[in-house]
Amino acid sequence: MSEVALLLQKQVSKGSWVNDKKVALIVSGVVLAMMVAFLIVPILSILSRSFAVSDGFGLENYINTLGTSRIWELGLNSVVMASLAASIAVSLAYAYAYALQRTDLPFKGILRIVIMVPLFAPSLVQAQGLIFLLGRNGVFNRFLGFDIDIYGFWGVTLANSLYTFPYAFLILSAALAVSDARLYESAVVMGAKPFRIFRTVTLPSTRYGIFAAIFVAFSLSITDFGNAVVIGGNFNVLATEIYNKVIGQGQFGLGAVVGVMLLMPAVISKLLEKQISKRQHAQVTDQSTPLQIRPNRLRNLVFGSYAWTIAAIFLSVPLIVFVASIVKLWPYNMAFSLKHYAFDVQNGTAPLWNSVGVAFATAFLGVVVVASAAIVSAKFKTVLSGPISFLSILPASIPGMVLGLGYVLAFNNPSNPFNMLYGTFPLIVLLYIYYNHAQGFLISSTSLKQISSTFDEASTMLGGSTLRTLFKVTLPLIWPTLLGVGVFFFMRAMVSLSAVIFLITPQTQVAAVSVLQLSDRGAANQAAAFSVCIMLIVIAMLLVVRLVLWLAGAKNVTLIR
């Protein structure tokens, strides 16, 4: 803000600056207090419970857990599976992103939408689809005569590769979207062949995007719970061990130890990604020349064939799940039937409507929470801005199951003043908000930073307070982004499984958990029907919001990030 604007602000209303500062401190204090209550306390509860023993505190839980060969086997299973799944996802996603960003293929919009499908469904839908395709009673084994055993290590790895592919693609697509044509022209002048140009120019310029995609895919895979439970068979990982310790055996102390173990790889992965990102330099400057894609039939044929093959694979998973939901009894009676959509199971359609209600509440409150955190960090500069900014992105390093277990340990404690929330939908809403807080905060902060300070200065010169500027200028400018953040929260609340698995009661059942429970007891057709409903609700919400943005003229807002 310029000195003239500050002087005018003081002249118009000397007390307004004091009032603005007080308001900023109050709002910042509320934001920070909520972060402490619903983010820091649950994490500290896990750490505390992992050291809790019958006569106080000690290392007994760690000794009992780490002293067994099983836990080391599970840790190795998790790391190897996640590493391979990340490698597969990133390798395939890089070629797919290259096809969409560095070629002139037709129908790129369709190719982009198709591989976003895993984002619209619980992670375990990938495992469901693979079972219907490659399982013992799947299409390939039962109808085409193959003998494929998809259960176990390879099933979990492939399912997580499909699950993390869209996340890797979004990162790599952004890395490949910008480039300096001068580098490529220089390489051509020097006589470099296409593969050498790719190896010496394209790969180095996108290496940080590759590292970021690997870390994201690894973190998502090692902390995923749904795919491992549905298709893992006798192959277990740390995520399933937490579930078994807590739900199956009620051993919260040992479960907390495994939670700490699961937290470490995700945190280390995030720290490494941050360190590597710090070394990244701008690939495009004000002197750069945009890369122009030249027509090339052979290139388009190769990458077009690849892209449509990958798209067909991704489309086959939800399609086979849909088919399974509309036949009488897969795979024995393939006659058309909608009986599975009657949901004549325990609780009926209640979990689905519960999820919709929770998702709307999460979307509304999530926007308020993350927008408040972004505003006090970027606009209301106080002594609390730094801690709030740090805590806002902390959830990106916390696995869903770990945070969910922390909520159980923290809010099931009678001494916690928020104990009355335990076993209720509001606590589930708060869990969803803070589990996905980092992404929503980063999107909101990015939008705020794109608003020129000139607007604030103009408002100040006209005598407007900070709050008046916020409501009259800032929020009207970023409302499309906030609407996109709301859609993000809605979608995540509909599809998230691992974060909420420990908080569910018969009265607070949600659809994603119903899919898991139905799959677990062999009701594959009904589980498929629940999955289809979840996907249709998420897609319908996306389409409605797209229509709203289109009617409002805000056509360039990205809803899926």
Side-chain angles (χ1 to χ4, degrees), residues 239-263:
T240 56
E241 185 69 4
I242 296 181
Y243 182 76
N244 292 332
K245 291 292 186 186
V246 175
I247 300 297
Q249 304 172 19
Q251 299 182 19
F252 288 92
L254 298 182
V257 172
V258 180
V260 173
M261 291 183 63
L262 193 60
L263 183 63

Side-chain angles (χ1 to χ4, degrees), residues 370 374-375 377-379 393 438-452 478 481-482 485 561:
V370 300
I375 288 168
S377 297
K379 298 291 184 181
I393 61 174
Q439 296 89 334
F441 173 80
L442 291 173
I443 296 171
S444 301
S445 297
T446 301
S447 182
L448 284 172
K449 291 176 182 178
Q450 292 173 343
I451 299 176
S452 173
I478 66 170
T481 297
L482 296 182
V485 172
R561 300 188 183 237

Side-chain angles (χ1 to χ4, degrees), residues 114-147:
V114 167
I115 55 95
M116 292 293 111
V117 171
L119 299 178
F120 306 154
S123 63
L124 58 81
V125 169
Q126 315 310 314
Q128 276 185 301
L130 287 176
I131 290 174
F132 286 131
L133 287 170
L134 304 174
R136 297 184 185 94
N137 289 316
V139 173
F140 281 83
N141 285 346
R142 187 169 184 86
F143 301 115
L144 301 179
F146 288 83
D147 186 20

